[in-house]
Amino acid sequence: HPVTGSRSVEHFVAKSRDLGLAYEWSNYRLACGKMNSRKRDFSDVLDPFLLAEGTFHLDLATGSIYANPSLGAAAMQDACDTIMRLSLDDAECRKARTDCYDSYIQGHISSSYLKKENPFVWKEAERQGLL
């Protein structure tokens, strides 16, 4: 997608923080180019491999992402820190999410295509009973 960029491999623990993990498969994450560059060597981002389902919620009308209000205080802070660090709620990301969902609503794409291309939007539409 033009907003997120090409797929890339992210070292979850940055090479600058622990060179010994540079070639460890367990340290690799698939990430879009934009998120990879935004994360850089920061360590205050939630690990997608360990992310509890439902950590993030989505307002499908606006594309705004937010921490699940039922999270405990520590998990809420971690989710909010991740949203801020990666700028997950910037205007471009919100527009990409609403464009994707709107394409589904207008019948231009199927539910299965939505699930393949934007699993987070699909999961949130499913959670909200909108599929």
Side-chain angles (χ1 to χ4, degrees):
H1 190 277
V3 170
T4 55
S6 63
R7 294 176 176 106
S8 68
V9 174
E10 158 69 10
H11 291 89
F12 188 72
V13 176
K15 295 177 286 190
S16 62
R17 293 194 176 270
D18 188 341
L19 192 55
L21 293 175
Y23 298 103
E24 291 294 326
W25 284 109
S26 63
N27 191 39
Y28 292 161
R29 306 294 183 269
L30 180 62
C32 67
K34 182 168 276 198
M35 294 306 129
N36 193 345
S37 68
R38 287 179 178 179
K39 181 183 172 290
R40 299 191 331 242
D41 64 348
F42 295 107
S43 60
D44 59 347
V45 173
L46 289 171
D47 184 345
F49 281 9
L50 304 175
L51 195 62
E53 188 171 328
T55 298
F56 298 105
H57 283 185
L58 181 61
D59 180 326
L60 290 164
T62 65
S64 184
I65 187 173
Y66 57 95
N68 180 341
S70 68
L71 294 173
M76 174 72 76
Q77 187 62 56
D78 290 344
C80 289
D81 289 349
T82 296
I83 291 168
M84 294 300 289
R85 172 64 64 207
L86 298 178
S87 299
L88 294 175
D89 202 38
D90 70 5
E92 284 183 316
C93 290
R94 287 192 310 268
K95 183 173 180 352
R97 291 188 286 263
T98 57
D99 286 352
C100 189
Y101 184 65
D102 288 348
S103 289
Y104 167 73
I105 292 297
Q106 295 166 4
H108 300 298
I109 62 173
S110 66
S111 174
S112 60
Y113 186 82
L114 177 63
K115 183 178 184 178
K116 178 181 177 251
E117 292 300 313
N118 200 322
F120 177 57
V121 170
W122 178 86
K123 185 67 175 172
E124 278 297 285
E126 179 188 55
R127 181 184 68 79
Q128 296 174 34
L130 300 172
L131 290 180

